[in-house]
Amino acid sequence: MVEASVLRKKGRFGQFGGQYVPETLMPALHELEEAYEEAKVDPSFREELESYYRYYGGRPTPLYFARRLTEHIGGARIYLKREDLCHGGAHKFNNVMGQALLAKRMGKGRLIAETGAGQHGVATAMAGAVLGLPVEVYMGSVDVKRQSLNVFRMRLLGAAVHEVSEGTRTLKDAINEALRDWVTNVGTTYYLLGSVVGPHPYPTIVRDFQSVIGGEIREQSKAQIGRLPDVLVACVGGGSNAMGTFAPFLGEETELLGAEAGGLGLASGKHAASLTGGRVGILHGARSYLLQDEDGQVLETHSISAGLDYPGVGPQLAELKDTKRASFVAVTDEQALEGFRALARLEGILPALESAHAVFAAMQKARDMDRDAVIIVTLSGRGDKDMATVADAMGVTL
Ligand SMILES: *Cc1c(COP(=O)(O)O)cnc(C)c1O
């Protein structure tokens, strides 16, 4: 978020994280941190959130044994955590619902968000509608054109979409506009961030709300498999579905594997693999790995999946990489499509292209493991939104 002005120790994950923001934002971050600390230990807040998760969102989502995919690979047993069955078609619901309820509790009458591909904007619009909170979404005008269907969805859900025509007219500029709005209207406005990125306390708040994924995996794997999994796999854009999957397992032996967007390959420079191909720097208010050139200019990213197309990554994942508690692989566009096709043909599931990166990484991993080993893949979302992209990649005209 904007440029660094002060280095702060709070909200650190090793050398990563922090609050590299202008002074004008500090009171808002303090207020948010305090409100969250209170909310998270308040049973009535948990109850209300759990009620929305269950009756509105469809939680708990199933843990499903992918029998035919497992047989096809001939290695470890592969299970899918079905976040694709969550309301809205992805894990984003877990976070927006939590933060929207927090906003309501804080007495903020208005939600703002920024969005690149539009999926976070749609999810925020959904949560705003169900809680009766007006939503305004900032989106670069280039993205508004590219993602017209998501813009239409947001408007149907009652949100106002502000086109940002500054700079590169993409996510970066939308973030700047959203921050300007927040600083100006902080008394009435809640800034709803979409992943485990940004200044403290956002990486912690978003991780905690998404940890419902890993928490359910723990219970379900014990009940259905009789033990915890050997490996957990999740795709990594900003890193929220991965952190939500991994967090409840940090103290276990379970191996943690993140699949980043390798795009056209790391060597091509056209990718979004911040952990496997980036360097340490500061982006959007936090220190983490990011894709930047020699002068520290943030690089353009590429991925077949819009949701992974982000030059940074959450600070806690950066720490997990450095401490080797988790490992990360870059999965190319081509390989993600292979994962996509395998799941479609063998399991009758059209996954989101983001999730298809994790599926491919799990297929690769399973090959080298015993048949009694267990891999659980978080299937972060469903693929309906990606049909035009997949058709295009296959050379099919719809
Ligand atoms: C947004 C999105 C992602 C990437 O976000 P993370 O914060 O890395 O989880 C992954 N999968 C789907 C389906 C998404 O919509």
Side-chain angles (χ1 to χ4, degrees), residues 163 236 277 376:
E163 270 192 54
V236 178
I376 297 180

Side-chain angles (χ1 to χ4, degrees), residues 219-280:
E219 286 179 23
Q220 292 168 324
S221 63
K222 280 189 203 153
Q224 295 171 225
I225 307 167
R227 63 180 178 89
L228 297 182
D230 299 294
V231 184
L232 286 168
V233 187
C235 65
V236 178
S240 69
N241 86 91
M243 261 333 297
T245 300
F246 297 166
F249 288 85
L250 292 180
E252 306 290 348
E253 305 262 288
T254 304
E255 186 181 330
L256 310 174
L257 176 62
E260 291 197 291
L264 304 180
L266 287 190
S268 72
K270 289 187 166 32
H271 60 83
S274 332
L275 288 164
T276 42
R279 291 184 294 122
V280 176

Side-chain angles (χ1 to χ4, degrees), residues 83-84 88-92 117 119-120 194-197 206 210 213 234-243 305-309 313 317 351-356 378-383 385-386:
E83 293 302 293
D84 59 316
H91 70 292
K92 286 195 166 65
Q119 289 148 237
H120 173 58
S195 191
V196 286
V197 297
V206 178
Q210 290 294 1
I213 303 173
C235 65
V236 178
S240 69
N241 86 91
M243 261 333 297
S305 67
L308 301 185
D309 205 351
V313 67
L317 285 168
L353 280 171
E354 292 86 358
S355 322
T378 294
L379 206 67
S380 55
R382 65 173 187 233
K385 66 183 179 58
D386 294 322

Side-chain angles (χ1 to χ4, degrees), residues 58-80:
R59 304 211 70 87
T61 58
L63 179 67
Y64 163 73
F65 175 45
R67 185 180 308 277
R68 296 194 70 226
L69 180 64
T70 297
E71 280 166 8
H72 173 72
I73 301 292
R77 284 181 284 163
I78 302 175
Y79 287 76
L80 307 175

